[in-house]
């Protein structure tokens, strides 16, 4: 092998069009059990509070957005709701600054 060439192969997953499993891969998934031995059990108290972590000052709302606006934010990847919140926060701060 040439010392100047890398043997690393680049791969990008298209989340909108993931590759299909072969029949052999699907069969293996159904027959090989998942080993949970190295994962500690979590107390019931963890699950009782887990969904509220980081949401202490947030309120859940139902909001109607134009389809193209929602598509834009969803297209920017995970945590699109956080980005929508950041845009709204920037607007609020600008209004506060403009109107004292």
């Amino acid at each position: 092998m040439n010392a100047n060439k890398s043997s690393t192969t680049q791969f990008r997953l298209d989340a909108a069009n993931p590759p299909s499993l072969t029949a052999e891969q699907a069969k293996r998934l159904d027959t090989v059990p998942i080993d949970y031995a190295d994962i500690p059990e979590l107390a019931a108290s963890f699950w009782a509070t887990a969904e509220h972590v980081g949401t202490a000052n947030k309120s859940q709302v139902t909001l109607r957005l134009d389809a193209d606006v929602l598509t834009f934010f969803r297209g920017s990847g995970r945590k699109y709701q956080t980005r929508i919140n950041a845009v709204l926060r920037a607007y609020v701060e600008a209004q506060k600054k403009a109107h004292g």
Side-chain angles (χ1 to χ4, degrees), residues 64-84:
R64 294 188 183 273
L65 301 172
D66 292 338
D68 60 327
V69 171
L70 184 57
T71 299
F72 173 83
F73 278 97
R74 281 184 173 164
S76 64
R78 294 178 58 190
K79 297 191 176 186
Y80 70 93
Q81 292 171 327
T82 300
R83 281 187 292 284
I84 292 171

Side-chain angles (χ1 to χ4, degrees), residues 18-82:
S20 299
L21 292 176
T22 65
E24 181 182 325
Q25 290 170 325
K27 183 179 177 184
R28 256 193 0 226
L29 282 176
D30 291 336
T31 59
V32 178
I34 298 172
D35 179 10
Y36 296 106
D38 62 341
I39 302 172
E41 288 194 39
L42 298 171
S45 60
F46 171 85
W47 299 109
T49 59
E51 76 177 68
H52 303 295
V53 173
T55 61
N57 65 342
K58 296 188 187 257
S59 298
Q60 183 173 348
V61 299
T62 299
L63 178 67
R64 294 188 183 273
L65 301 172
D66 292 338
D68 60 327
V69 171
L70 184 57
T71 299
F72 173 83
F73 278 97
R74 281 184 173 164
S76 64
R78 294 178 58 190
K79 297 191 176 186
Y80 70 93
Q81 292 171 327
T82 300

